[in-house]
Amino acid sequence: MAKLEPAPMMTRLRRLNMAAYAPFIALLLLVIFSSIASDTFLMPRNITNVLRQVSYTGIIALGMTFVIIAGGIDLSVGSMVAVVGVLTIMIINGAGDGWWAVAMAVSSAIALGGVFGALNGLIITRGKVASFIATLATMSIFRSMALYISDAGEMVSTNAHFSDIGGGYLWGIPYPVWVFLLLAAVYHILLKHSAFGRHVCAIGSNPKVASYSAIKVRWVYFQTFVIAGASVGIAAVLLTSRLNSISPSDAGIFYELDAIAAVVIGGTALSGGKGTIWGTVIGVIILGIINNMLNLMGISPYLQGMVKGLVILIAVLVQFKGDR
Amino acid sequence: MTPPIMQVQNIVKEFSGVRVLHNINLDIHAGEVLGVLGENGAGKSTLLKIISGIYPLTSGQIKIDGKLVEIRSTSDAKRLGIAMIPQEFNLISTLNVFENIFLGNEVKKGLLLDKAAMREKAARLLTELATELSPDALVENLSVAEKQMVEIAKALVNDSRILIMDEPTTVLTDHEVEIFFSLVDTLKQRGVTLIFISHKLKEVKLLCDRLAILRDGYLVSLDDVSEINEQDMARKMVGRELNQIYPSRREPSDHVVLKVSHLAIKGVLNDINFELKKGEVLGFAGLIGAGRTETAEAVMGLRKKDAGEIEINGQYATINSIADALSYHLAYLSEDRQGKGLIMNSDIPKNITLISLAAYVKGLIRQKKENAVAQEYVKRFDIKAASLHTNLINLSGGNQQKVYLSKWMDTHPNILILDEPTRGIDVNTKKEIYHFIHSLTEQGVSVIVISSELEEIMGLSHRVIVMRSGEIMGELIGDAINEKEIMYYAAGLKTMKQA
C-alpha cells in the first residue's frame, strides 16, 4: 500500500521551493549588507525607528494580504487612512479630554475602517465590480471626503492623552510596532489555521472550485475587504496619535502602493491563491530598511522611489520563476 | 517500410531524482499512426512532452531523419516540424478561425497583415481537411470538435510533419469521433505522422498502425496493431490479467431515496422526473449537451430551478444551494475535475477537507487529524503521490480523480452523483473506481453515474435513463439495457411517453 511519509530531510530540501524563501534570504542579505555599510544601522535606536516607520503601512499590508490572496486588490487604503484620521480627530475632540475619549476614538477608528472596507466589499461582491475599479473609485471618494470634512485643513487633537498611544513605548519598543507584530501573529493564525483562511486561499485559487465545494465565495471575499478596512482603521489611529494631528491632503499618500509592494515582495502571488503573513512582514521590513539605508548613505530622496521600484520588479521576477 | 522519421534512443527522464522513464527506444516511421498506451503515470505524457520540447530529457538522444537534434523548447519542436495538440486547446477565443490558424505565423504584406491571403489559404486547408468550417467563424462560437480542427490546421500551417495528440477523442461526441477518424485518414494521405495517446482500446485498434505500450516508465511492447487484441493490450498495460472490470450487481432495495418531479429550467431542462433507490446505480446516458450535467447541478442546488420538486427519503426537500444539498448528504463530482473540483496548486489533505473542514475545526484547524484522515484515503484508494503534501497539479489524472472522490466521501454522502467519473483515466483506475462504486452500493449508498461511455453505463447501472435536448427520452431496466436501445433514445429515434 502507498504510505506517504513526510519526505526525508534531504529530498525535502531538494524539493524546497526556493522562491518561497526568497524574501527571507533577501532580508538576511540586506541586513548583512546594511550593517557593514553603515555603523549606525544596527544601533537599537535606528532599528526601533525603522520598525516604527514601517508599522503603519505594515499593518495595512497585513490586511491587504488577505485581499490579494483572495484574488482582489484594495487601492483605497491610503485615502481611507486620511478619512478615518480626520473623523477620529473629530470624535476625540468632541468627546472631551479623558482616557475614555481616547478609548472611544480608537474603537471608532477601527469600526470606521471596517465600515469603509465593508463599503468596498459591498460594491465588489454585490455590485460585481472588479476590485481594482471599485477601490480606484473609493480611493478618490475617501480622499475627497477627508478634504471636505476638514475643509482641507490640518486637524489637531486637543486631548492630552491621545498622543500617548502612538508615541508610547513598552520595553523600549514603540506601541505601533507591538501592534504590528501582534496583529501579524493573529492574522497568521487566521490565515493558516482557521477555516476562514483556508477559504480565502481557495477562492483566490479557483473561485469555481470553491463555490462547488459549498464555500460562500462572495461572503468570504467581502470579509477580506472588511479586514483590510479595519486594519487601515488601526493604522490610521496610530498614525494620527503619533502626530497628534492629521493632514487630509498628505496623510496616507502612496500607502496603497507601499502596502501592495510589501505583500508582493513577501511572495504573495498577485493572481491570488497563495501567500503568507510572515512574507508580508518581511516585505514590509525590507522596504523599511531600504528607505533607511538610502537615508543613512545620504542618497538623494528622489532616487528612493527608483530603488523601491526595482526591488518590486525583482520580487515579481523571482516569483514568476518559481511558478515555472 | 519507410525509414524512421524520428528515432528516440535511450531516453531517460528523472523528476527530482525519481526515474519516470527508463531507456526508451522507439523508431517512428514517416506517415504512420503510432498509438501510445499506458496507465496513468506510466510515462506516456512525459515521453511525448519530451518529444515536443516541453520537458528536457535527463539523458538519451533524439534523431530526426537520422540526424541528431536537440529539442529544448516548443519552438525548437516547431522548427523541426513537431506539433503537440494539447487537450486544453491554445486558441484565442476572440479571434476568428483563420487568425488563429496563422497565429504566430502571420502572412504579411509589407508591415501589414495580408488577411486576404491568410483567409484564402485557411479556406483551402480547411477544405482539404474535409470540414465545412468557415475561416471567418469566431473561435468562441465553435464546438470542441471544431476547435480541435482549428488546432490541427494550425499545426499543418506550421508545416508540421509529426503531430502529437493527447487523447483527442475524449472531448468529442460519437459523431464527431467518426469525423475525426476520417480526418486521420486525410492526414495520413498528406504524409503526416501521427502519435496519439488514448485510453480507448477499441479506438486505438481502429486508428493506429502500431502500438507502443508503456508501463511504469518502461516500454513493454511495440506491436503492429494487427498482431495484438484488446485483451492483450489491457494485460500489457496493467502487467497482469484484467478480469472482470465491472463487478457483479446486487439488487437494490425498493426504498426510494431521491425523487425528482417536474424539474425544469427554462431553455435547458423540461419536465424531468426520476427516482433513485437505495443501493442503486442509476445511469444517465445521452449525447454531450443532452442536459445530464444540468440535471445533476439543478438537483445539487448549483443551478436555479424554474420548477420542480425534490423528495429525499419521502420528505420534501428544499435545495437552493450546494450547502442545502450537503445537509441532505448529497454529493456531486463534476465532470470538470480541474475547473470545478480541485484546487490544483494545493495539496492532498487541504483538497480532501475543503468541504468537510468544519469537522476538523476545534477553534483552529486540527492539521494532524486532517493529515491522518487524508492518509487513510490515500491508503484506501491507493493514491500515488510523492508525498501527502504534493500539489495536485503534479498527480496523474487518475490520482487526481481519487483525491476528488475522497473529498466528497469525507462528507459521508448517501447519494453520490458522478459526472464522467472515468474521463481520461486508465483501465486499472477505472476498474478500481467501478469496484468502489459497487462497494458503496453495498453499504446502502445510491449512485447516479453520468457517462458518455456506453460500455461504462451498461456495465455499472441497474437502470439507465437516456436524455436528449433537456428531456428524458426513455428508461431501460436490467436486461433491456443495450447499446442499440440507448442510442435510439439518445438520437431521438425513439421516445417513451412519461408517466
Side-chain angles (χ1 to χ4, degrees):
Chain A
M1 284 285 109
K3 167 96 178 143
L4 302 181
E5 295 287 355
M9 197 57 196
M10 270 322 286
T11 41
R12 220 187 327 176
L13 274 179
R14 209 178 309 156
R15 247 185 254 129
L16 262 188
N17 185 356
M18 287 320 282
Y21 290 84
F24 186 70
I25 296 164
L27 177 63
L28 215 65
L29 292 176
L30 192 60
V31 168
I32 294 171
F33 167 79
S34 303
S35 42
I36 295 169
S38 159
D39 294 338
T40 40
F41 175 74
L42 275 182
M43 284 169 70
R45 223 189 116 104
N46 185 53
I47 296 287
T48 313
N49 257 331
V50 170
L51 287 176
R52 180 171 37 215
Q53 277 161 14
V54 297
S55 59
Y56 313 109
T57 46
I59 290 167
I60 296 171
L62 294 177
M64 182 77 80
T65 309
F66 285 92
V67 172
I68 291 180
I69 294 176
I73 195 115
D74 188 345
L75 300 177
S76 72
V77 290
S79 300
M80 207 192 283
V81 167
V83 70
V84 172
V86 166
L87 290 170
T88 304
I89 297 267
M90 287 179 78
I91 289 166
I92 197 157
N93 287 353
D97 204 35
W99 269 108
W100 73 272
V102 175
M104 193 173 149
V106 171
S107 43
S108 47
I110 299 171
L112 280 168
V115 168
F116 289 133
L119 185 72
N120 279 333
L122 274 181
I123 298 170
I124 290 156
T125 57
R126 291 287 139 191
K128 295 188 176 137
V129 182
S131 60
F132 185 89
I133 302 296
T135 58
L136 192 65
T138 53
M139 171 167 92
S140 172
I141 292 169
F142 293 153
R143 178 68 62 186
S144 171
M145 274 167 74
L147 288 166
Y148 181 75
I149 296 168
S150 63
D151 206 12
E154 184 165 277
M155 306 270 288
V156 182
S157 152
T158 55
N159 185 305
H161 304 296
F162 184 52
S163 60
D164 289 354
I165 37 170
Y169 289 81
L170 176 67
W171 302 327
I173 293 171
Y175 286 156
V177 177
W178 281 114
V179 175
F180 171 52
L181 296 176
L182 211 70
L183 206 60
V186 173
Y187 281 7
H188 170 77
I189 291 169
L190 191 61
L191 181 64
K192 283 292 144 183
H193 301 279
S194 82
F196 170 73
R198 202 53 83 68
H199 291 170
V200 169
C201 293
I203 69 167
S205 277
N206 191 334
K208 198 97 205 177
V209 171
S211 72
Y212 272 67
S213 304
I215 293 169
K216 295 191 177 87
V217 175
R218 284 197 286 174
W219 170 235
V220 174
Y221 198 32
F222 169 81
Q223 290 177 82
T224 65
F225 286 95
V226 176
I227 290 177
S231 309
V232 170
I234 295 170
V237 74
L238 288 169
L239 183 69
T240 313
S241 158
R242 166 82 182 144
L243 304 170
N244 205 35
S245 67
I246 186 107
S247 155
S249 51
D250 294 341
I253 291 284
F254 286 152
Y255 275 24
E256 61 283 340
L257 296 185
D258 279 355
I260 294 165
V263 175
V264 172
I265 291 170
T268 295
L270 265 182
S271 50
K274 265 198 270 197
T276 57
I277 290 291
W278 66 263
T280 298
V281 171
I282 287 177
V284 165
I285 296 174
I286 287 179
L287 280 180
I289 294 181
I290 289 173
N291 266 336
N292 181 240
M293 282 310 293
L294 293 172
N295 286 332
L296 289 178
M297 293 166 76
I299 291 167
S300 161
Y302 302 129
L303 274 178
Q304 296 188 358
M306 190 198 272
V307 175
K308 202 187 291 177
L310 287 173
V311 171
I312 297 169
L313 272 181
I314 293 167
V316 173
L317 286 174
V318 170
Q319 232 190 64
F320 271 104
K321 244 189 178 151
D323 281 353
R324 263 175 225 148
Chain B
M1 206 179 245
T2 40
I5 186 170
M6 176 186 268
Q7 289 162 285
V8 167
Q9 295 174 334
N10 281 315
I11 283 200
V12 170
K13 176 66 186 168
E14 291 180 354
F15 284 117
S16 37
V18 180
R19 191 166 281 208
V20 293
L21 284 180
H22 304 259
N23 295 69
I24 305 286
N25 285 290
L26 189 58
D27 287 353
I28 298 159
H29 301 285
E32 77 168 333
V33 181
L34 176 73
V36 180
L37 281 176
E39 288 190 84
N40 287 335
K44 33 182 212 311
S45 294
T46 310
L47 177 64
L48 297 189
K49 280 179 179 165
I50 287 173
I51 295 174
S52 49
I54 297 169
Y55 290 158
L57 41 75
T58 305
S59 68
Q61 56 187 31
I62 297 175
K63 285 183 184 165
I64 293 213
D65 296 328
K67 269 183 286 193
L68 202 61
V69 292
E70 288 206 39
I71 311 174
R72 288 216 189 93
S73 64
T74 44
S75 50
D76 281 351
K78 189 172 155 187
R79 195 167 33 78
L80 291 164
I82 304 166
M84 172 128 173
I85 298 185
Q87 272 180 300
E88 311 284 327
F89 303 132
N90 288 326
L91 298 174
I92 312 284
S93 57
T94 50
L95 294 181
N96 62 30
V97 168
F98 83 83
E99 285 166 331
N100 265 290
I101 292 178
F102 283 93
L103 195 68
N105 223 352
E106 289 82 358
V107 181
K108 287 183 194 147
K109 204 195 263 169
L111 281 173
L112 302 175
L113 293 178
D114 189 351
K115 288 201 175 188
M118 286 194 279
R119 184 182 289 118
E120 200 213 302
K121 266 190 168 177
R124 208 179 322 133
L125 189 58
L126 291 169
T127 316
E128 279 175 39
L129 293 175
T131 162
E132 284 165 15
L133 196 57
S134 155
D136 291 307
L138 207 56
V139 163
E140 65 186 351
N141 299 333
L142 300 187
S143 72
V144 175
E146 288 169 331
K147 284 182 188 164
Q148 190 177 55
M149 193 68 84
V150 176
E151 279 280 6
I152 291 170
K154 192 171 149 188
L156 293 180
V157 160
N158 287 333
D159 286 325
S160 303
R161 296 182 299 158
I162 303 173
L163 262 187
I164 301 170
M165 307 180 100
D166 194 354
E167 295 189 55
T169 60
T170 35
V171 289
L172 303 182
T173 60
D174 288 349
H175 176 63
E176 289 167 341
V177 169
E178 275 173 37
I179 297 175
F180 176 80
F181 274 43
S182 60
L183 179 66
V184 169
D185 278 339
T186 317
L187 290 172
K188 266 176 86 169
Q189 280 159 25
R190 289 177 63 113
V192 176
T193 306
L194 286 154
I195 304 177
F196 86 94
I197 298 184
S198 177
H199 283 117
K200 297 182 182 165
L201 305 185
K202 223 177 246 163
E203 191 175 287
V204 164
K205 180 100 178 127
L206 284 170
L207 273 180
C208 298
D209 301 316
R210 285 196 308 158
L211 279 179
I213 298 178
L214 291 169
R215 184 172 75 231
D216 300 329
Y218 292 92
L219 181 67
V220 290
S221 82
L222 185 61
D223 301 286
D224 275 354
V225 89
S226 52
E227 289 162 11
I228 183 166
N229 61 31
E230 285 171 47
Q231 245 100 37
D232 290 336
M233 290 182 209
R235 188 174 44 73
K236 284 182 173 172
M237 280 164 63
V238 185
R240 58 188 152 78
E241 265 338 303
L242 250 192
N243 41 17
Q244 248 205 324
I245 287 197
Y246 299 100
S248 57
R249 272 158 288 186
R250 184 182 289 187
E251 273 312 295
S253 80
D254 284 336
H255 177 66
V256 174
V257 288
L258 172 72
K259 184 175 178 198
V260 173
S261 332
H262 309 297
L263 174 67
I265 298 175
K266 237 181 163 176
V268 180
L269 295 177
N270 187 17
D271 197 30
I272 303 292
N273 298 283
F274 67 90
E275 287 180 355
L276 177 68
K277 299 193 181 91
K278 192 176 163 86
E280 184 182 36
V281 179
L282 176 61
F284 267 73
L287 303 175
I288 288 169
R292 297 167 299 163
T293 296
E294 290 78 0
T295 303
E297 292 193 342
V299 169
M300 288 301 291
L302 287 162
R303 265 172 199 266
K304 224 172 135 89
K305 300 179 266 288
D306 289 322
E309 283 178 11
I310 295 172
E311 279 172 45
I312 299 210
N313 294 321
Q315 300 280 317
Y316 177 75
T318 317
I319 300 178
N320 292 322
S321 70
I322 185 142
D324 293 342
L326 265 173
S327 69
Y328 289 106
H329 295 279
L330 263 61
Y332 170 61
L333 269 78
S334 161
E335 60 184 329
D336 187 359
R337 189 160 63 221
Q338 302 203 352
K340 293 172 180 171
L342 299 165
I343 307 269
M344 300 307 290
N345 63 358
S346 187
D347 64 11
I348 296 173
K350 285 194 189 121
N351 268 287
I352 290 181
T353 61
L354 193 61
I355 306 173
S356 52
L357 197 57
Y360 298 87
V361 177
K362 228 194 250 160
L364 301 175
I365 299 171
R366 303 287 129 182
Q367 275 163 357
K368 263 202 185 129
K369 187 180 168 198
E370 217 183 358
N371 288 341
V373 170
Q375 182 68 58
E376 274 171 37
Y377 282 110
V378 163
K379 215 169 139 182
R380 177 167 165 200
F381 290 123
D382 196 20
I383 297 170
K384 294 191 179 85
S387 117
L388 211 49
H389 299 291
T390 309
N391 281 350
L392 289 209
I393 193 87
N394 297 323
L395 300 194
S396 69
N399 285 309
Q400 286 172 3
Q401 185 71 355
K402 287 174 174 179
V403 173
Y404 194 16
L405 203 52
S406 311
K407 171 178 169 174
W408 276 103
M409 289 321 295
D410 207 44
T411 68
H412 309 291
N414 293 329
I415 297 168
L416 181 64
I417 306 176
L418 301 169
D419 198 347
E420 304 289 356
T422 63
R423 176 181 285 173
I425 284 177
D426 63 84
V427 190
N428 205 34
T429 310
K430 271 185 184 175
K431 185 183 162 187
E432 285 172 21
I433 288 177
Y434 298 151
H435 281 260
F436 178 68
I437 292 172
H438 175 71
S439 75
L440 277 180
T441 57
E442 286 197 321
Q443 293 158 30
V445 175
S446 311
V447 183
I448 291 178
V449 176
I450 300 172
S451 175
S452 296
E453 277 185 51
L454 282 184
E455 225 182 280
E456 182 169 290
I457 288 274
M458 293 187 296
L460 284 172
S461 314
H462 294 101
R463 211 151 44 91
V464 176
I465 283 175
V466 190
M467 288 187 73
R468 178 186 158 78
S469 317
E471 288 185 54
I472 291 181
M473 300 301 282
E475 186 179 314
L476 302 163
I477 304 174
D479 297 336
I481 302 173
N482 67 60
E483 208 167 333
K484 222 164 99 189
E485 282 290 298
I486 294 177
M487 281 322 294
Y488 279 164
Y489 284 122
L493 299 172
K494 200 171 165 185
T495 171
M496 193 187 262
K497 186 86 185 145
Q498 283 214 1

